[in-house]
Amino acid sequence: MERDAASSTDIRDGHAFRIDGDAITLVFAQQGSVVPALIHAGAALPAAEDLGALARAVQPPRHASQPEIAPLASLWPQSGRGYMGQPALIARRGDKALPMDLVPDAGSTVGPRGFHLVFTDPVAGISIAIDWQISSGDVIRARSTITNHGTTPLAVDRIASLCLPLPAWATHATRFHGRWAAEMQEGTAAIPHGRSGGASRGGRPGFDGGNWLILHDAGFSADQGHGLALHLAWSGDHDSLIERDADGAIVQIGPRLDPGEIVLAPGGRFVTPDAVLALGLAGRNAVRRAFHAHLRRDVLPDRANWPARRVHLNSWEAVAFGMDEDRLVQLARAGQAIGIERFVVDDGWFAGRRDDRTSLGDWVPDAQRFPAGLDRLIATVAGLGMDFGLWVEPEMISPDSALYRAQPDWCLHRAGLDRPTQRHQLVLDLARPEVSAHLFGVLDRLLTAHAIAYLKWDHNRELFPNDGVGHAQAQAHHALIDRLRLAHPNVEIESCASGGGRIDHAMLSRCHRVWPSDNNDAIDRLRINRAWSLFLPPEVLGNHVGPCPNPITGRALPMAFRAKVAMFGHMGVEADPGAMAEAERHTLAAHIACYKQYRGLLHSGVQRELAFADAGLFGTMVADDTNALALVARTDLSGDYNARAVRFPGLVPDAFYEIGFPLADSAAGLALSGRMLADAGLVLPLSRPATAHLIAFTRQDHR
Ligand code: GLA
């Protein structure tokens, strides 16, 4: 975290200070507590705002059931002074948890956009640093650091990356839950008294999406309301907690640790993963805008050098394990005919892999299926004008594999017990240097020997048995990718974990896209993508047209519908174009051509969701200064005969926009002002389920 010019600050009772983003101000104060609390989060305040007066204005009156030095929730809740909620830190020397009573220490600094606060408990021999920094998009990155100043080892069993006493308006929480093929299902509820929250235990964020949440007011909707969106930038386990008592509510997020997992030697320190916090003052679209801007500018690797996102053809739902060189060449040719730019060979290419029971670990081409190795296929694909991608699942090992026979103890296991599998596979112990070195060697050789432009990096099972190795495993995994990226900087990497099981900023700082879900059903994808798009921009969300009927849901949807939905992401195809009816193939090719025309806009513009009272309608729109492209889709039959006009907010109010319908061979013949489009909107033919429309807006004075 880069810190701006900061001046040292005196943390004492009554002291208030502020940090400012481009359009927001956060004010912190100590109101009897020893660690400051957030007392205001909102639109930018005047520079001359009297912070002392602000602090007095919002200070809750003392009540009789408090200790004299008020232990109200602060940026670091601690039990030593009578705070009765969950402490931010649980640490031990030996068996006994230490009572914690941090007081301000020297070295704290506050700058215009961030702070570094230092606290110490001289008796426990611990210091804590709390760092917050406002980054692009007015998104805040926060972390904490613990240092062991004692003379004995210190076990850290719990430590929060961020603790945030909630503003009074944050009465509701939108959290996410999910399962394979149904990731990121939203649930919104009033924050209950007591504890709510979630933790992952599988060594990755998981399908539950508990590493993303939004705390907001009761009226929070597409364009209205205040919200605080929170994410843990960590690919291992997370712990998020919302706690409400009679004094107010607080949210905490941090890594989930097993007792004894982190032990600091004297002088040692532990830095938490970053928490990412966005303040949205105009509804979900404001949160979306902040997260997208931050990810694009500060997180994604080398984004400035990204070429256009190439249209993929992925073999998985086209041929699954039924592949050989001839079949793949046939598939590649069919792909080339519809405009595919990258051919990705998914699972099934490596030694002996005929189903999901064998061969993970043996990352060499299957000799029967590829008698000439991979190079002849890659050359054919290149000759068709496409580059080449390959599926790998490096962290895993099949008990039935050459690697397992050679190194049976490289997997996570408990000596003397059986080795429980999931998807018939075990997890390699990446924290063992020889295991990570082996994997680097294998992947490095693969990328050196072959012209591979892209890796789909999969992760298809949870981490168990886990004797307190989850954090080290995630760190070793990151180190492996980092080393590989350094050696092969031009190779793009996708993070997949049976779909969206491992999506977080730590992966996104190393990868070029994520696989949001194995579910390519376009109706389900509208919902899944809307939820992911609260945090992630279209260019990182792999979005494919699958076969019909969909193999997961059994639903048959028209190609024109499926292809339009797939355009609002990083578009691809995961079906055999050669097996499609001529008309379908033609429709798909036309949509791919249209996507290529608009992807510059789709992958850099500001995205918003459109608001509908009708739950059977979905809409999204991406706009830059001169153009916008919207998708409006109906999933269920409308309860009314006439769908209401669809409103398109966010355009320049006084500019006029020509309205067109790409792929519909028609133009509306209308030009309307941005204000009119936002307030009155357009009536679209939206009565039938599984209909979708693309609407293009072109600013007239910019043509
Ligand atoms: C996982 C991925 C799929 C596919 C299969 C292959 O389930 O999410 O996209 O790659 O593995 O086994």
Side-chain angles (χ1 to χ4, degrees):
M1 192 183 295
E2 278 188 28
R3 292 219 304 276
D4 50 15
S7 51
S8 67
T9 192
D10 176 18
I11 306 176
R12 64 190 143 71
D13 189 19
H15 180 61
F17 58 91
R18 63 190 277 170
I19 56 174
D20 290 275
D22 299 331
I24 60 167
T25 299
L26 305 181
V27 183
F28 304 84
Q30 272 150 284
Q31 299 179 322
S33 56
V34 291
V35 182
L38 176 72
I39 59 163
H40 175 75
L45 292 174
E49 193 77 50
D50 179 345
L51 301 184
L54 190 156
R56 284 194 297 283
V58 300
Q59 178 151 22
R62 294 186 45 72
H63 58 77
S65 304
Q66 281 177 308
E68 272 60 44
I69 297 176
L72 293 175
S74 67
L75 297 182
W76 200 259
Q78 51 179 336
S79 55
R81 288 177 186 247
Y83 177 72
M84 291 294 121
Q86 173 69 54
L89 176 70
I90 298 178
R92 283 178 290 121
R93 292 196 193 277
D95 293 341
K96 261 178 94 68
L98 293 167
M100 216 62 67
D101 193 359
L102 296 163
V103 294
D105 199 0
S108 293
T109 51
V110 177
R113 290 176 74 94
F115 56 72
H116 171 72
L117 304 179
V118 188
F119 300 90
T120 186
D121 180 333
V123 178
I126 287 171
S127 73
I128 294 287
I130 304 173
D131 285 278
W132 285 39
Q133 188 68 36
I134 302 183
S135 162
S136 313
D138 276 354
V139 163
I140 298 131
R141 310 274 302 194
R143 68 171 67 145
S144 46
T145 306
I146 179 167
T147 306
N148 179 11
H149 297 292
T151 52
T152 57
L154 179 78
V156 180
D157 294 346
R158 177 180 205 280
I159 182 164
S161 297
L162 169 140
C163 304
L164 185 72
L166 292 177
W169 49 257
T171 53
H172 286 66
T174 293
R175 295 173 47 218
F176 301 88
H177 63 99
R179 47 154 279 196
W180 171 76
E183 291 85 345
M184 292 300 270
Q185 302 181 56
E186 293 189 33
T188 295
I191 296 173
H193 275 275
R195 285 185 185 188
S196 51
S200 68
R201 295 193 165 270
R204 59 186 190 184
F207 297 125
D208 280 353
N211 52 335
W212 311 90
L213 73 158
I214 310 178
L215 297 314
H216 52 82
D217 60 22
F220 193 66
S221 57
D223 294 298
Q224 262 147 27
H226 284 24
L228 283 163
L230 201 52
H231 166 60
L232 187 72
W234 184 236
S235 318
D237 287 328
H238 63 270
D239 188 354
S240 70
L241 173 74
I242 309 167
E243 200 168 26
R244 183 175 160 203
D245 64 17
D247 280 318
I250 183 168
V251 62
Q252 298 189 31
I253 198 164
R256 190 198 63 76
L257 302 170
D258 284 318
E261 184 166 6
I262 303 292
V263 179
L264 301 179
R269 58 180 207 145
F270 175 76
V271 185
T272 67
D274 282 6
V276 185
L277 174 71
L279 170 64
L281 300 173
R284 293 158 62 94
N285 282 325
V287 162
R288 183 175 270 114
R289 187 179 184 136
F291 260 90
H292 291 195
H294 174 59
L295 195 89
R296 282 173 171 168
R297 274 185 237 145
D298 298 330
V299 180
L300 294 170
D302 312 323
R303 184 188 153 85
N305 304 322
W306 277 20
R309 308 281 82 196
R310 301 170 76 84
V311 183
H312 286 192
L313 178 73
N314 178 296
S315 66
W316 181 240
E317 289 196 344
V319 302
F321 293 107
M323 64 172 66
D324 61 20
E325 186 179 340
D326 289 347
R327 181 72 186 93
L328 292 177
V329 167
Q330 194 189 16
L331 190 62
R333 292 216 164 94
Q336 191 238 8
I338 59 166
I340 295 297
E341 299 167 308
R342 172 174 293 156
F343 186 69
V344 181
V345 175
D346 208 283
D347 196 354
W349 62 271
F350 47 99
R353 181 82 162 174
R354 300 290 181 272
D355 56 32
D356 62 10
R357 291 171 176 271
T358 72
S359 309
L360 296 171
D362 300 345
W363 302 110
V364 289
D366 184 83
Q368 264 176 17
R369 292 178 158 186
F370 302 97
L374 283 180
D375 283 339
R376 194 166 66 192
L377 172 64
I378 295 176
T380 308
V381 166
L384 293 167
M386 297 182 274
D387 67 19
F388 186 81
L390 201 61
W391 179 94
V392 287
E393 198 181 357
E395 296 144 271
M396 301 296 163
I397 182 168
S398 304
D400 182 3
S401 65
L403 181 64
Y404 190 85
R405 285 183 281 277
Q407 300 290 353
D409 288 340
W410 274 10
C411 61
L412 294 176
H413 67 282
R414 300 183 68 201
L417 292 181
D418 65 336
R419 300 177 174 194
T421 53
Q422 182 178 330
R423 210 194 190 209
H424 315 290
Q425 61 200 54
L426 297 162
V427 186
L428 287 168
D429 185 354
L430 263 57
R432 287 174 65 166
E434 66 276 27
V435 177
S436 272
H438 167 81
L439 288 177
F440 174 77
V442 166
L443 295 167
D444 180 51
R445 279 194 292 282
L446 204 57
L447 296 180
T448 305
H450 310 291
I452 295 172
Y454 160 96
L455 286 181
K456 175 175 172 181
W457 188 303
D458 212 337
H459 181 276
N460 282 314
R461 67 156 279 178
E462 265 102 19
L463 188 134
F464 60 85
N466 175 4
D467 290 337
V469 295
H471 205 81
Q473 179 84 0
Q475 279 173 326
H477 169 231
H478 291 158
L480 176 61
I481 300 192
D482 290 346
R483 194 172 166 204
L484 205 63
R485 287 198 62 244
L486 209 59
H488 303 276
N490 297 324
V491 175
E492 291 174 28
I493 299 179
E494 172 179 62
S495 172
C496 173
S498 308
R502 187 162 65 182
I503 298 183
D504 60 82
H505 277 202
M507 287 308 281
L508 280 156
S509 68
R510 299 172 164 88
C511 297
H512 297 73
R513 71 171 217 169
V514 295
W515 185 230
S517 179
D518 275 359
N519 189 342
N520 291 319
D521 177 301
I523 286 184
D524 283 354
R525 264 307 178 98
L526 283 168
R527 184 199 57 70
I528 294 169
N529 289 353
R530 181 177 61 190
W532 279 125
S533 88
L534 278 164
F535 307 104
L536 306 177
E539 65 272 25
V540 302
L541 293 174
N543 213 20
H544 292 175
V545 174
C548 184
N550 178 277
I552 292 173
T553 65
R555 194 151 40 197
L557 295 168
M559 178 58 83
F561 182 84
R562 285 144 62 203
K564 284 189 183 64
V565 171
M567 284 175 62
F568 282 73
H570 178 182
M571 189 177 189
V573 175
E574 198 162 327
D576 182 359
M580 294 173 190
E582 178 67 35
E584 279 212 331
R585 196 163 45 237
H586 183 77
T587 303
L588 179 54
H591 281 77
I592 290 173
C594 181
Y595 166 79
K596 289 177 183 170
Q597 192 187 335
Y598 282 100
R599 70 182 152 192
L601 167 67
L602 290 169
H603 295 176
S604 64
V606 173
Q607 186 180 24
R608 53 198 316 133
E609 69 184 57
L610 303 176
F612 300 102
D614 180 340
L617 286 176
F618 282 78
T620 185
M621 172 168 165
V622 183
D624 64 16
D625 290 343
T626 50
N627 292 291
L629 186 71
L631 168 76
V632 179
R634 173 167 288 294
T635 56
D636 296 305
L637 190 67
S638 167
D640 296 325
Y641 283 114
N642 297 315
R644 303 221 179 118
V646 178
R647 301 198 287 182
F648 299 95
L651 299 170
V652 179
D654 293 326
F656 282 85
Y657 292 86
E658 194 174 302
I659 293 152
F661 300 108
L663 293 165
D665 288 334
S666 68
L670 296 173
L672 296 169
S673 69
R675 182 167 288 114
M676 168 75 193
L677 286 162
D679 291 350
L682 288 176
V683 171
L684 297 168
L686 279 167
S687 51
R688 279 172 69 97
T691 46
H693 300 275
L694 290 177
I695 309 101
F697 303 91
T698 312
R699 198 168 152 176
Q700 285 192 318
D701 54 347
H702 272 66
R703 288 196 307 151

